[in-house]
Amino acid sequence: MRQGYFFRKGSRQTHLRRLGIALISPVVVYMLIVMVFPFIWALFVSLTDKKVGSEGSFIGFQNYVDLIKDPLFWRSVWNTVIFTVAAVALKVVFGVIMALLLNERIVFRNVNRALLILPWTIPTMVSVLIWQWIFSDISGVLNYILLNLNIVEERIGFLASRSLAMGAVVLVNAWRGIPFVGISVLAGLQCIDGTLYEAARIDGANVFQRFRSVTLPMIKNVTILATIVTTVWTLGDFEIVWVLTKGGPANGTQILSTLSYTFGFMNMDIGKALAVALISFPPLAVLIHFTTKRMLDQS
Amino acid sequence: MKRNTWIKWIIVYSVLILFLVAALFPVYWMANTSFKFQKEIYNPAPTFWPHVFTLSGYKEVLFDKGFLNNIKNSLIVSCTVTLISAVVSYIAAYAIVKLDFPGRKFSSKAVLYAYLLPRTVLYIPLYLFISKIGLSDTLLGLILIYPTFTIPYATWMLIAYLKSIPEGLEESAEIDGCSKLQSMVRIALPLSLPGVMSTVIFMFTMCWSEYLYALVVIQESAKKTITLALSNMMIGDIFAWGPLMAGSIICTLPVLLMYVLSSRYLVTGTTMGAVKG
Amino acid sequence: MLKNFSDVSNQYFVDRSEQFGEEKGINVTVEMIPYAEFLTKWTAAIESGETPDVTYMGYQEAGMFADQGVLLDLSDVYQQIDERQALYPSLASAVSYEGAQYAIPYWTEPIVLHYRKDLLEKAGYTEPPKTWEEFREIANACNDPASGVVGAGVGFGKNNSDAEWFARAVIWSYGGALFSEDGKSSIVNSKESEEGVQLISDIFLVDKSVAPSAVNWDDSSNNNAYLSGQAAMVINAGSIYNNLKTSDEELFEKTGVATLPSGPAGRYIPGVCNNLAVFKNTANPELAKEYLLYMTEPESYREWLEGGAPLTCPIYEDFKNDEIWQDPVNKAFIDTVDSFVFLGYQSDFNPAAGEVYTQRLVNDMFQQVLVEQTDIPTALQNLQDKIDAVIAK
């Protein structure tokens, strides 16, 4: 009898293993087919001096060496860090607040939810154009309002000074991204069983304690993951900075993605563009590795 | 007790209004601009509502430029990609969370690494790939490469959502003789439905507003997606703001609609009482 | 093919191309693309080998791609077209590379001075500026921050191409140049260039007759400024003038157009030459050449041209005597073509010059002078070194 039991259990494990592999295989197969070639291509070309239209010859790590010696590269790294940290912080904080807000039983909750998701749904290019217009010192509405409320004396060139420009791109990125975090966390909040709150309330917990013991653990995973995804996306974000400032003024908002584009398409130097892109791999890979570690541990 | 709730609601509503203003101001500005004539748009003193109201922007974009066709194209691509990605990612996420198998940790991380290569260079090898298999200038080509950015996102978000659902239900179902597959569909799915729905909506939005890959892959104007159609209105250094804004407002409607229609699924409540005892 | 502002001329081009197809019994498809999308499309096309047979190209891009060896030698076609009807002589230098022609000029887009007749009159000027000194004077006079009017609607944002043209027009008119006659070195650090740069710097830093954020203006900022009535003068291609015709009659009436001012050394205006080029790996080189001959056939060409005039200016010199170009405003456009000078001055156009432009090196120099307040000779020397570095590559 015992032997029979073990035999069944063993085959169940194998069955589950096979099932697991079967379920994950579409994703893995797809990503392998479509992404492996690009990665290898990128790695290879970054070791050449390829320009658009030419074959390019192997130059080893020259591109990378040039980059490391280039102060503009390091300035871009610094800008990227500032941009990402600021934008992600804003998005996560306000996103969680937004989620908590929408979880309450407010009037017209569905309508409000739909409205708050709008910034995310507008094509990036279009929303950036509108922000550019709003920030404009020529006929922009922001300057108009500030002037009329006498908050400032003369029009501010929001995109003209390095720090203001960085603030502007961070703002636009955060504006777009807050709904993403907000709705993602909200969905996590909605998965929480209402009875848990009841039980906690009966046990005498107040609002803050309930938040800490019920809400927070439940949305921890979702929030962490939303943060990871947002961070990765923010690091690769290109359109917003490119359309608003093209990396200016005087490289004040030049981040790695715009730098890569500048090399690749303004200078037609694809080898170098890829080197910029690939150089941020290792730190990012490590970041992803550690943050997803806990996610992957099964209890 | 009552006073506490009173203060709470004041805070809640004030913050809500702040959020609404911040989120919607640019959108309001877009709508405002879409109903104006160009002369008023360029007025040095911006007007907060159209002094001269016009629908010419909308008319031009919908009828003169065949925007409806572009909407159709975008819908085809977005719906197909979203559906396929959702199914594929969901089962993968479920496997990662609930099952153990060799290569589990590695393959799940590898999926996320796909984001490390930025699209501004990624488009070249992807386009090479597409054209080699003869799918350049086709919507199918787009459908083939869009999942490169939807699947990693979906898989991982679903991992998080699946991790937060209570385990008790599945366990008891299994004791009752339910198989893993059945549990995946009948139990885990309804429990994590809010997460799944919001993931679906976001994937749709990602495909809907994608520009770079569409630009590279699609040549024929009949096959253009809405983002290409909008960008087409940016000729030279003077943009046709009226039609451009009109087109953009039109762009946001399908997602809004999706969101409103699916709000039923975004609220849980189906589990109440199921775990008790 | 580049999509331009005139739907009429866009349609005409497509029709005529299809007509060619009919006559030859082949299928011709034309794709109209806004300028901003070209770079991405060219890259994807070239890298994948799926290039169209014929493409629009600005002359700088043509030089750059010719350098990479992806374009077909079109010298024979150029010869034939020139013999059929004489092209402006200056255009040859724009599309030549190492002695051969790699693109056929199709139209030129003059950069002109748009000015507010009413604002100039109010400041006491009935004529637009004839020299850059006058330009500075008038800008200063018209500048009125209190009522939100900027005297000189010029700016130097990071990717601004208008600024590159403006800067060159001034530097060249003062006798300076980026390249030596043989094109082998940069001579931009000279007394003459310094005078030109000083003038611009004074307009920005001393007179302050530009917008506060002018150092971050992009290509659309000067248009916005003018269209919203906040600039007295702007330097731009005719897109503004064209736009005003349909969108704002009042402003249109008040707008005057003039050829750009001249400097002590004369009138030198950056030429913008738009061309058609053929990719080397085309499957139909002979057909492509015939197509080019067909599309430049003078009579039908004239019709296409006039649909887009005055933004589109002819490649054939004799056309300037046509009626349409006698209108005073249109005359300002076509006269500009006579003073055309291309990148690479004082030598012929070469890819290094193209790269200097694409990298916006002159812009960067102005960012140094205007934002970081570097002194001019140092900035010029920096620029000269950078240009030499580009030449060396």
Side-chain angles (χ1 to χ4, degrees), chain C residues 2-297:
Chain C
L2 180 66
K3 185 176 182 188
N4 73 32
F5 292 101
S6 160
D7 284 333
V8 168
S9 68
N10 284 334
Q11 190 57 45
Y12 186 82
F13 189 89
V14 176
D15 290 340
R16 176 113 178 118
S17 303
E18 287 176 355
Q19 215 182 338
F20 174 77
E22 272 169 36
E23 287 179 21
K24 295 283 169 184
I26 54 172
N27 211 3
V28 174
T29 40
V30 182
E31 204 192 330
M32 289 288 181
I33 306 175
Y35 185 71
E37 299 183 353
F38 264 109
L39 217 46
T40 316
K41 293 208 93 117
W42 281 325
T43 308
I46 293 175
E47 289 300 308
S48 67
E50 274 196 27
T51 49
D53 299 287
V54 178
T55 177
Y56 152 85
M57 262 192 194
Y59 76 94
Q60 311 97 289
E61 292 118 20
M64 197 168 54
F65 285 122
D67 189 33
Q68 306 281 43
V70 295
L71 295 182
L72 191 65
D73 186 338
L74 295 173
S75 312
D76 46 356
V77 185
Y78 191 92
Q79 191 92 336
Q80 288 176 285
I81 295 179
D82 199 21
E83 281 167 12
R84 179 175 61 188
Q85 170 112 15
L87 297 161
Y88 275 94
S90 58
L91 298 180
S93 98
V95 297
S96 306
Y97 178 72
E98 286 178 2
Q101 282 74 45
Y102 281 90
I104 302 298
Y106 204 64
W107 82 96
T108 57
E109 263 178 49
I111 301 174
V112 294
L113 183 74
H114 291 70
Y115 64 96
R116 289 280 299 276
K117 294 191 275 201
D118 57 325
L119 290 179
L120 259 67
E121 260 176 49
K122 206 164 73 157
Y125 295 91
T126 48
E127 290 288 317
K130 299 264 181 319
T131 67
W132 289 109
E133 277 300 326
E134 276 178 40
F135 175 81
R136 177 186 172 185
E137 200 186 299
I138 296 184
N140 203 14
C142 293
N143 195 46
D144 190 0
S147 32
V149 171
V150 156
V154 290
F156 276 96
K158 180 118 181 92
N159 206 41
N160 195 330
S161 65
D162 287 338
E164 291 275 327
W165 303 131
F166 170 55
R168 282 174 175 73
V170 174
I171 293 180
W172 289 338
S173 308
Y174 272 80
L178 272 64
F179 292 86
S180 60
E181 260 187 74
D182 58 6
K184 300 242 190 308
S185 61
S186 172
I187 55 170
V188 75
N189 190 9
S190 64
K191 264 225 117 281
E192 293 86 3
S193 311
E194 211 182 304
E195 274 175 42
V197 178
Q198 185 69 51
L199 178 86
I200 297 182
S201 165
D202 288 343
I203 295 181
F204 273 73
L205 300 174
V206 173
D207 300 346
K208 302 208 198 209
S209 39
V210 292
S213 71
V215 286
N216 209 50
W217 272 23
D218 64 13
D219 281 331
S220 63
S221 310
N222 58 350
N223 305 44
N224 287 351
Y226 193 82
L227 288 170
S228 61
Q230 292 177 68
M233 296 186 286
V234 288
I235 296 173
N236 206 60
S239 43
I240 297 183
Y241 183 73
N242 201 43
N243 181 284
L244 283 173
K245 254 191 268 192
T246 47
S247 71
D248 192 341
E249 278 156 30
E250 222 182 287
L251 195 51
F252 183 69
E253 294 297 313
K254 299 191 216 161
T255 300
V257 176
T259 18
L260 288 185
S262 60
R267 175 171 281 138
Y268 293 87
I269 303 180
V272 178
C273 183
N274 295 314
N275 323 276
L276 293 173
V278 179
F279 280 107
K280 207 184 229 169
N281 60 359
T282 170
N284 319 292
E286 287 314 312
L287 269 178
K289 291 186 183 176
E290 284 181 52
Y291 175 75
L292 290 173
L293 275 167
Y294 189 79
M295 297 305 287
T296 52
E297 193 275 307

Side-chain angles (χ1 to χ4, degrees), chain B residues 116-130:
Chain B
L116 296 187
L117 204 53
R119 290 206 245 163
T120 46
V121 284
L122 191 51
Y123 82 84
I124 301 178
L126 280 180
Y127 182 63
L128 278 166
F129 174 65
I130 292 282

Side-chain angles (χ1 to χ4, degrees), chain B residues 22-96:
Chain B
L24 296 181
F25 185 75
V27 183
Y28 143 72
W29 201 253
M30 274 170 58
N32 187 12
T33 310
S34 72
F35 292 112
K36 293 184 192 169
F37 280 112
Q38 191 189 303
K39 180 170 173 179
E40 194 180 337
I41 296 176
Y42 277 108
N43 199 343
T47 52
F48 285 89
W49 68 92
H51 288 174
V52 182
F53 187 89
T54 174
L55 283 175
S56 64
Y58 286 92
K59 197 170 77 74
E60 193 181 324
V61 87
L62 281 174
F63 303 118
D64 297 345
K65 315 254 185 207
F67 206 54
L68 290 170
N69 187 44
N70 302 117
I71 294 182
K72 183 188 77 156
N73 291 334
S74 284
L75 273 175
I76 294 177
V77 173
S78 307
C79 289
T80 317
V81 173
T82 306
L83 199 59
I84 299 180
S85 304
V87 170
V88 162
S89 303
Y90 179 75
I91 61 178
Y94 187 82
I96 292 173

Side-chain angles (χ1 to χ4, degrees), chain B residues 18-218:
Chain B
L18 272 166
F19 266 90
L20 281 173
V21 168
L24 296 181
F25 185 75
V27 183
Y28 143 72
W29 201 253
M30 274 170 58
N32 187 12
T33 310
S34 72
F35 292 112
K36 293 184 192 169
F37 280 112
Q38 191 189 303
K39 180 170 173 179
E40 194 180 337
I41 296 176
Y42 277 108
N43 199 343
T47 52
F48 285 89
W49 68 92
H51 288 174
V52 182
F53 187 89
T54 174
L55 283 175
S56 64
Y58 286 92
K59 197 170 77 74
E60 193 181 324
V61 87
L62 281 174
F63 303 118
D64 297 345
K65 315 254 185 207
F67 206 54
L68 290 170
N69 187 44
N70 302 117
I71 294 182
K72 183 188 77 156
N73 291 334
S74 284
L75 273 175
I76 294 177
V77 173
S78 307
C79 289
T80 317
V81 173
T82 306
L83 199 59
I84 299 180
S85 304
V87 170
V88 162
S89 303
Y90 179 75
I91 61 178
Y94 187 82
I96 292 173
V97 175
K98 305 281 184 189
L99 299 169
D100 193 15
F101 50 90
R104 181 179 142 261
K105 288 197 180 170
F106 175 71
S107 50
S108 42
K109 269 189 252 200
V111 159
L112 205 49
Y113 287 163
Y115 279 144
L116 296 187
L117 204 53
R119 290 206 245 163
T120 46
V121 284
L122 191 51
Y123 82 84
I124 301 178
L126 280 180
Y127 182 63
L128 278 166
F129 174 65
I130 292 282
S131 67
K132 287 275 188 305
I133 61 179
L135 284 181
S136 83
D137 203 17
T138 60
L139 289 179
L140 190 56
L142 281 184
I143 292 178
L144 195 58
I145 54 179
Y146 274 14
T148 50
F149 54 81
T150 55
I151 286 184
Y153 156 71
T155 310
W156 275 92
M157 289 310 288
L158 288 173
I159 289 178
Y161 288 122
L162 283 172
K163 277 206 103 171
S164 9
I165 57 177
E167 305 218 335
L169 275 173
E170 277 186 281
E171 279 169 9
S172 39
E174 259 158 63
I175 292 175
D176 284 346
C178 191
S179 77
K180 271 293 188 205
L181 280 177
Q182 286 174 314
S183 158
M184 179 174 81
V185 176
R186 295 251 200 83
I187 302 188
L189 187 53
L191 279 180
S192 57
L193 201 55
V196 172
M197 284 311 294
S198 87
T199 307
V200 162
I201 293 180
F202 277 130
M203 278 198 285
F204 182 85
T205 314
M206 280 192 252
C207 297
W208 188 251
S209 39
E210 202 284 325
Y211 171 66
L212 186 56
Y213 292 167
L215 173 64
V216 167
V217 172
I218 302 287

